[in-house]
């Protein structure tokens, strides 16, 4: 048998054991309970781990004139900063391909069961960090990095025209702008009808509105990767706070 310890909780792992399944389960549960430890406030550490939130943040691979995609560079910098010890942060690079998005996103949602997924994309026209309010189903006419475009020109045939995030983007914008961060945040209702918008709509559908999209400017126009990462961190933390405050009271809007 192997004994492991993770974040102060010891787990006894029994290998190649021939006991009946019920007895093994009882042995494991008994052992786990017997080694539960409390922190200085008296709370059981195992409960704290259960309360950890999971957040996924994605950026995109290079495409077109963006040979270095500021979104993925900024997300990698965010990974270095982290979101605090109570939040599990996972990052992923999304291909600029319609079909890949339809495969990758369901996998991310299913594998990690996140409370929030935030997608980050670059916009050559952006001069601020821009929060997108909604994703759109129709109007996808541009080919992707594989020279492919959906024949239906939509994300989901028969789906709603638009899906809004459950997050109040105006509130997030106000809070971050008033924090003295030094990076300007704005709000938009049009994510561009390309892979950014396509990804956002798909994620909003999969997560029942528990998703967000953030457009960033190209690197150095005017912000560095580190500045963008700090802005993303502030934005994500504000989103989580708003979601917790509004839990069970606000729902995504599907415009037909």
């Amino acid at each position: 048998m192997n004994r492991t310890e993770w974040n102060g909780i010891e787990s006894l792992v029994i290998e190649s054991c021939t006991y009946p399944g019920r007895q093994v389960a009882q042995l494991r549960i008994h052992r786990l309970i017997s080694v539960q430890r409390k922190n200085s406030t008296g709370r059981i550490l195992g409960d704290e781990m259960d309360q950890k939130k999971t957040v996924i943040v994605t950026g995109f691979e290079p495409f077109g004139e963006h040979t270095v995609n500021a979104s993925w560079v900024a997300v990698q910098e965010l990974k270095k900063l982290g979101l605090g010890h109570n939040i599990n942060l996972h990052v992923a690079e999304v291909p600029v391909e319609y079909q890949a998005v339809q495969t990758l996103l369901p996998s991310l949602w299913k594998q990690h069961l996140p409370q929030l997924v935030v997608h980050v994309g670059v916009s050559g026209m952006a001069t601020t960090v821009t929060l997108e309010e909604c994703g759109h189903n129709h109007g996808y006419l541009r080919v992707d990095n594989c020279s492919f475009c959906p024949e239906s020109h939509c994300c989901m045939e028969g789906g709603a025209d638009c899906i809004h995030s459950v997050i109040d983007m105006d509130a997030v914008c106000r809070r971050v702008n008033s924090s003295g961060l030094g990076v300007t945040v704005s709000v938009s209702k049009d994510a561009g009808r390309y892979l950014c918008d396509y990804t956002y709509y798909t994620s909003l559908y999969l997560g029942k509105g528990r998703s967000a999209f953030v457009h960033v400017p190209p690197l150095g126009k005017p912000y560095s990767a580190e500045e963008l990462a700090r802005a993303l961190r502030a934005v994500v933390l504000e989103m989580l706070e708003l979601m917790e405050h509004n839990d069970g009271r606000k729902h995504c809007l599907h415009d037909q």
Side-chain angles (χ1 to χ4, degrees):
M1 62 183 67
N2 291 333
R3 180 178 296 158
T4 59
E5 186 171 320
W6 182 56
N7 282 2
I9 295 181
E10 189 177 38
S11 174
L12 191 68
V13 181
I14 302 173
E15 298 177 345
S16 302
C17 183
T18 58
Y19 291 113
R22 177 177 296 179
Q23 187 174 357
V24 171
Q26 289 175 342
L27 286 170
R28 183 182 181 90
I29 292 169
H30 174 75
R31 182 58 174 164
L32 284 170
I33 292 174
S34 70
V35 297
Q36 279 184 330
R37 301 167 187 169
K38 296 183 179 180
N39 62 14
S40 58
T41 64
R43 293 177 60 189
I44 296 175
L45 293 174
D47 291 344
E48 288 186 342
M49 288 199 300
D50 291 341
Q51 293 172 4
K52 273 195 171 186
K53 293 182 174 66
T54 297
V55 174
I56 299 172
V57 181
T58 73
F60 284 95
E61 69 177 359
F63 71 99
E65 64 183 9
H66 301 287
T67 54
V68 175
N69 196 316
S71 68
W72 179 233
V73 176
V75 169
Q76 289 176 298
E77 289 297 320
L78 173 62
K79 179 66 173 177
K80 297 176 186 177
L81 293 176
L83 295 173
H85 69 278
N86 287 327
I87 301 172
N88 293 317
L89 172 62
H90 301 276
V91 304
E93 184 179 33
V94 179
V96 181
E97 303 171 18
Y98 294 105
Q99 291 173 311
V101 167
Q102 290 290 354
T103 301
L104 176 62
L105 264 58
S107 174
L108 290 176
W109 277 98
K110 182 177 181 180
Q111 178 182 353
H112 299 292
L113 301 176
Q115 278 71 45
L116 173 66
V117 175
V118 179
H119 303 287
V120 185
V122 64
S123 170
M125 298 181 294
T127 57
T128 65
V129 171
T130 307
L131 314 180
E132 301 292 347
E133 289 190 341
C134 55
H136 301 88
N137 192 18
H138 300 95
Y140 297 95
L141 304 175
R142 292 176 59 188
V143 297
D144 61 18
N145 275 359
C146 292
S147 300
F148 174 82
C149 182
E151 290 184 6
S152 62
H153 304 302
C154 72
C155 297
M156 187 176 303
E157 293 190 49
D161 289 338
C162 179
I163 303 178
H164 285 74
S165 174
V166 298
I167 301 164
D168 185 340
M169 298 300 175
D170 288 320
V172 175
C173 181
R174 288 193 302 269
R175 292 186 179 196
V176 177
N177 281 337
S178 64
S179 69
L181 186 65
V183 176
T184 302
V185 178
S186 63
V187 178
S188 165
K189 296 182 179 180
D190 186 355
R193 301 308 204 284
Y194 191 43
L195 264 297
C196 292
D197 214 342
Y198 190 90
T199 297
Y200 194 20
Y201 183 95
T202 303
S203 195
L204 286 167
Y205 177 83
L206 292 169
K208 298 181 179 179
R210 292 180 292 108
S211 185
F213 197 99
V214 182
H215 266 122
V216 297
L219 295 178
K221 298 183 178 181
Y223 303 116
S224 67
E226 293 78 12
E227 289 173 316
L228 291 176
R230 290 197 296 271
L232 289 175
R233 186 178 192 275
V235 163
V236 172
L237 291 176
E238 291 291 355
M239 288 177 174
L240 287 171
E241 184 175 340
L242 284 172
M243 289 177 69
E244 183 173 356
H245 181 72
N246 294 321
D247 188 29
R249 285 181 286 166
K250 188 174 180 181
H251 304 280
C252 60
L253 300 175
H254 294 247
D255 296 338
Q256 300 293 337

